[in-house]
Amino acid sequence: MACPGEEVTNKESGEESNTMNLMEFSDEILLHILRYTPVSDLVLNVRSVCRKLSILSLDKSLTHTVTLHKDYQVDKHKVKQLMREIGKEIQELNMSGCYWLPGSTIDQVTRCKSLVKLNLSGCHLTSLRLSKMLSALQYLRSLAIDVNPGFDASHLSSECKATLSRVLELKQTLYTPSYGVVPCCISLEKLLLYFEILDRSREGLIISGQLMVGESNVPHYQNLRVFYARLAPGPVNQEVVRLYLAVLSDRTPEKLHAFLISAPGGFAQSCAVKNLLDSMARNVTLDALQLPRSWMNGSSLLQQLKFSNPFYFSFSRCSLSGGQLVQRVLNGGRDLLSLVSLNLSGCIHCLSPDSLLRKAEDDIDSSIVETLVASCCNLRHLNLSAAHHHSSEGLGKHLCQLLAQLKCLLSLALPVCSIAEVSMVPADKPSVQPVTNVTSQNFGKKVRIGVQTYPRNCLEQGNSKHQSSVFWNLLGSLPFLEQLELIGSSFSSAMPRNEPAIRNALPPCSRAQHVGDAEVAAIGQLAFLQTLTLAQLPNILTGSGLINIGAQCLHLQSLSLANLGMMGKVMYMSALVDMLKHCKCLRDLRLEQPYFHASAQFFQALSHCSSLQRLCIISRSGTLQSEAVMAFMATCLEVIMCHMFTGEPLTVCKNLQQSLTLSSWETSQDMDC
């Protein structure tokens, strides 16, 4: 008879024999697993674990592409070691956004002799450094760089220009009026331009957008297939992009099939631009189009341009009618299986029948939406925000019911009023009720009217009400949705990025008053949701729906909340605190809310977001606790950006900034030691 000790030992031995060591997997399985590990970790850490992983970590299938994009854990020493170890094997290198790396570290790219694709956007580059680097990369075919003040193309060597002459794809971000390296890229097929030029220099001098047109080498654009330009606000950016377009207007590339220009606000046409558009209408067939609204509105351009198997359309803020959408964009309702992305943001009449008497708040024509859904069944990205898309009661299906047929959607942007239940919207505007009621006509006891109490979790109310709502069913029909935006049709951010600071906003919508916590709770169905934006939901009472999102959307990485509930008081703080405790994958958090109190409780909850990298708080008349901010930054070591625009005095802000800078310097010193 065995003793108890022997039985335990035999049991443990049996359990160990049933377990499988990771190293017993085949090389194919291990390589598949290692693909999900950053190459920097493979080379600098994983390969030192054992002999087998050392060999597999340097497999060409893993080292072929290296992405250091905003990898804030990679310092100059790690980059140099990485280039020494696998530099010769790298064919695609993405170092975009690595602004903290010094120029001497960027020089290590010259070790990558086999590079085909290189992205250095946001890195420190001078003309001489770029010339030296590109001279050693004879196989380069794709390049992304920044052009900063002081850039001089005359400093580029003949070897560098020879490399550029073979480049087929160029992404160029301009911070100064310049053609950059475009004149040297004589074989260009894809040109992506980002104009970020300020109207004034740091010294306060007005910047001119005039360039020497003779530098452009007009004949060298004949292979161009894709032209994309994105402009930040400002007249200088418009002036410079006109010069680029003037070059194209002289001789429009016959192979051009994608023409996209994203420009905020008004952007008047020049004679050269008009000639270019006329030439495009005669000579090219497009599959992707985006133009400034001032070029589209009131013109017959859309009727003149020819399209073939389009995959991308953007008509943001254009006066596109429902008839134009069906006949010209949707090709009369014929199948557009090729269309992947459709941006109708700000097109207030695009889902309504043609009528001169149409108002922005009038009901949509469901037949237009039916045509859209039937024609573009493969849509993955759809933007219908910044407009009033009201479904009518009894006349056709609700907008949400129709959109539920787009099973392939990955991103969706809707105005808040478009998801309101039609049955809940009163026919006439309700009369304004007093704050307090009297139980009788005499001097009776007043009844206190306050915020209605709700369960902490909206699902506790039962699913019958939720599952019968059109918005709940819509999200249930889109299981793979990764990005969702619900933005009030009259919302205007206090700090817009690529929009003018002052612009005409649509009137406020009464239907948004019927969208609240229950609708927000429905978002919790999206198991694969990664990016969420909620802005201007005035009927948020407790924010209980946020808790569902935090608990169920476990892959959420980016969250933006703006103007939820009443503007005078933040009613959803308690729910937000509970939500943040679940957001382990959250990287970006943006809060725009007046009177927001960034308290110790808030930052303590935010400390649970261990992956957080960027935090932005915009709060008119808001407050913060400096000690809580310091404690939070000491806990969440991944945070590299912390912007807080509140009502605190300038002295408090400067003291906090100095404390954070000192703490960061001390931490870096400890790491170096």
Side-chain angles (χ1 to χ4, degrees), residues 516-562:
D517 295 312
E519 285 73 21
V520 173
I523 300 174
Q525 300 176 88
L526 303 176
F528 297 99
L529 189 66
Q530 297 181 16
T531 303
L532 175 63
T533 300
L534 300 175
Q536 200 181 45
L537 279 74
N539 200 34
I540 295 296
L541 300 178
T542 65
S544 54
L546 295 175
I547 305 175
N548 289 344
I549 298 174
Q552 299 178 30
C553 303
L554 302 181
H555 300 285
L556 189 64
Q557 297 181 11
S558 178
L559 176 64
S560 178
L561 305 177

Side-chain angles (χ1 to χ4, degrees), residues 266-421:
F267 186 11
Q269 285 191 36
S270 63
C271 293
V273 168
K274 188 178 184 305
N275 293 335
L276 170 61
L277 296 177
D278 292 341
S279 176
M280 288 171 52
R282 294 190 306 268
N283 303 320
V284 301
T285 301
L286 300 174
D287 56 24
L289 176 67
Q290 178 177 359
L291 295 176
R293 61 179 178 179
S294 57
W295 299 7
M296 298 286 294
N297 294 346
S299 71
S300 59
L301 181 62
L302 197 58
Q303 285 73 26
Q304 298 172 1
L305 292 174
K306 297 184 289 291
F307 303 102
S308 176
N309 298 322
F311 69 91
Y312 179 90
F313 280 140
S314 178
F315 302 103
S316 179
R317 302 188 182 277
C318 293
S319 58
L320 186 71
S321 67
Q324 290 176 315
L325 176 64
V326 172
Q327 296 302 322
R328 293 301 305 157
V329 180
L330 303 181
N331 198 21
R334 299 180 181 88
D335 289 340
L336 280 180
L337 300 179
S338 59
L339 193 62
V340 174
S341 180
L342 178 60
N343 183 359
L344 298 173
S345 173
C347 300
I348 60 178
H349 302 303
C350 67
L351 300 183
S352 303
D354 297 350
S355 174
L356 297 177
L357 302 178
R358 152 116 179 126
K359 295 181 180 179
E361 297 84 357
D362 289 346
D363 294 340
I364 64 173
D365 185 348
S366 60
S367 64
I368 296 176
V369 185
E370 290 176 355
T371 303
L372 168 63
V373 170
S375 303
C376 312
C377 58
N378 290 330
L379 266 184
R380 295 190 178 185
H381 310 282
L382 177 61
N383 191 337
L384 296 174
S385 62
H388 298 272
H389 295 313
H390 297 173
S391 299
S392 60
E393 186 174 8
L395 298 176
K397 293 184 177 180
H398 193 283
L399 175 64
C400 292
Q401 293 175 313
L402 296 171
L403 295 182
Q405 302 175 38
L406 298 174
K407 305 296 184 181
C408 298
L409 278 182
L410 297 179
S411 68
L412 177 63
L414 294 173
V416 175
C417 56
S418 70
I419 69 171
E421 291 282 352

Side-chain angles (χ1 to χ4, degrees), residues 153-191:
S154 64
H155 293 162
L156 303 179
S157 65
S158 57
E159 293 82 2
C160 172
K161 292 180 179 179
T163 298
L164 289 172
S165 67
R166 295 185 288 268
V167 169
L168 304 178
E169 177 181 331
L170 175 64
K171 175 186 175 184
Q172 192 169 254
T173 303
L174 298 164
Y175 294 97
T176 187
S178 172
Y179 283 120
V181 298
V182 172
C184 303
C185 302
I186 60 177
S187 303
L188 268 186
E189 295 182 359
K190 186 175 183 180
L191 178 58

Side-chain angles (χ1 to χ4, degrees), residues 111-129:
R111 294 177 177 268
C112 308
K113 305 293 185 181
S114 302
L115 266 184
V116 176
K117 188 173 184 178
L118 175 62
N119 191 336
L120 295 175
S121 298
C123 296
H124 296 289
L125 277 179
T126 62
S127 307
L128 293 175
R129 177 164 278 121

